[in-house]
Amino acid sequence: VSKEQSLNDAFDTILQANLNRFEISIVEDEMAYDVLYKNLLHHPTITKLDIPTAKYCKEALVDFCCNLIANSDTLEEVFFQDIGSLNEDMVQKLFNSLKTSPNLKVLDLRTSRYLETLQKDSPGWGSSNPVLHVEPILATLESFEGSQYSLKTLDFGGNAMASSTSMVCPFVTNLLSSSLGLERLSFRGCALAEEGLLSVATELENNSCLTFLDLSHNVITKQVMQQLAK
């Protein structure tokens, strides 16, 4: 029996259970990602994928995740906890996959699934994790104009936005564009400074889709509060 067949048999046995969430923690074999992709692509019950770490076979993992997002007609939610460890090309590839996704509704990039219950100095906040540069995401968002896509919820919670104001401001403006169609957006604990938050407040005036926005644990000044209150 070939290695590929052995992997396929193993995954087939696991996936026969009536699961709706599948977690990938430690997979150190690139072929395993290829086999798993084929098994999950049109899986009838698994709609949620959790990836809490990107330490192993990082390139193969990102390719697997992007291909699944772009092509699966059943996948609805992806939790990718370790996006701060990806290089810019990988981050851009991840967001590019959203452009052709037929079904993904939630992209959860929080540094911890329990972020909302953590203290600000606890592990899981942006200050203690790899920072997230917005440039590759912005480049992708700018190419979304006029596109219709399925994503409704995007959560950056705990990822420190480590880019210049000239990048962060258009980044948040693009995310809040009504043409993008997001309904829920979180920047909780993302180290957003006053300029970025003022851009959020300004763009909200023109947004007709958003129903939930989390800006907590950022640099919310009096000026930001006044602009948000308008």
Side-chain angles (χ1 to χ4, degrees):
V1 179
S2 68
K3 176 181 178 181
E4 183 176 0
Q5 185 59 52
S6 295
L7 286 167
N8 190 70
D9 290 344
F11 285 132
D12 185 58
T13 300
I14 294 170
L15 296 174
Q16 282 180 10
N18 190 28
L19 305 172
N20 74 337
R21 183 183 296 276
F22 192 84
E23 179 177 311
I24 301 173
S25 295
I26 302 175
V27 176
E28 301 183 55
D29 189 291
E30 293 184 7
M31 182 182 289
Y33 284 114
D34 292 335
V35 175
L36 187 56
Y37 169 75
K38 294 173 185 176
N39 278 270
L40 289 179
L41 183 58
H42 302 296
H43 196 280
T45 64
I46 294 178
T47 60
K48 300 177 177 65
L49 178 67
D50 288 5
I51 304 175
T53 181
K55 291 181 180 179
Y56 307 98
C57 297
K58 188 173 295 187
E59 188 170 343
L61 170 61
V62 172
D63 285 346
F64 158 80
C65 185
C66 291
N67 287 333
L68 207 56
I69 288 173
N71 299 304
S72 173
D73 52 8
T74 56
L75 186 65
E76 296 182 355
E77 179 179 328
V78 170
F79 172 58
F80 199 112
Q81 185 173 326
D82 205 13
I83 191 173
S85 72
L86 305 184
N87 63 38
E88 293 193 7
D89 287 342
M90 290 176 177
V91 172
Q92 186 164 356
K93 189 171 188 177
L94 179 63
F95 276 81
N96 268 327
S97 69
L98 298 173
K99 295 170 68 175
T100 57
S101 174
N103 201 54
L104 192 76
K105 296 175 177 59
V106 177
L107 182 58
D108 186 349
L109 304 174
R110 286 177 296 169
T111 52
S112 170
R113 185 173 286 285
Y114 308 103
L115 185 69
E116 287 74 17
T117 64
L118 298 177
Q119 297 297 318
K120 196 170 182 180
D121 56 354
S122 301
W125 285 94
S127 60
S128 60
N129 282 275
V131 296
L132 180 63
H133 295 275
V134 305
E135 288 84 349
I137 305 176
L138 177 60
T140 304
L141 291 173
E142 289 177 338
S143 70
F144 274 21
E145 188 173 350
S147 301
Q148 295 292 323
Y149 78 121
S150 61
L151 193 71
K152 298 303 177 187
T153 299
L154 182 56
D155 196 328
F156 290 101
N159 289 286
M161 303 294 176
S163 298
S164 64
T165 300
S166 63
M167 289 293 177
V168 171
C169 290
F171 167 70
V172 298
T173 298
N174 273 272
L175 283 173
L176 285 165
S177 169
S178 291
S179 62
L180 207 59
L182 288 176
E183 297 175 0
R184 298 177 65 86
L185 178 62
S186 176
F187 292 113
R188 183 183 180 91
C190 288
L192 285 178
E194 182 179 68
E195 293 85 354
L197 291 167
L198 286 173
S199 294
V200 171
T202 300
E203 191 60 30
L204 279 176
E205 298 177 12
N206 305 313
N207 185 287
S208 59
C209 300
L210 205 68
T211 60
F212 174 88
L213 176 65
D214 189 345
L215 299 175
S216 59
H217 300 286
N218 288 289
V219 185
I220 302 179
T221 62
K222 181 178 180 180
Q223 186 178 357
V224 170
M225 287 296 296
Q226 290 173 339
Q227 187 67 30
L228 286 170
K230 288 183 178 180

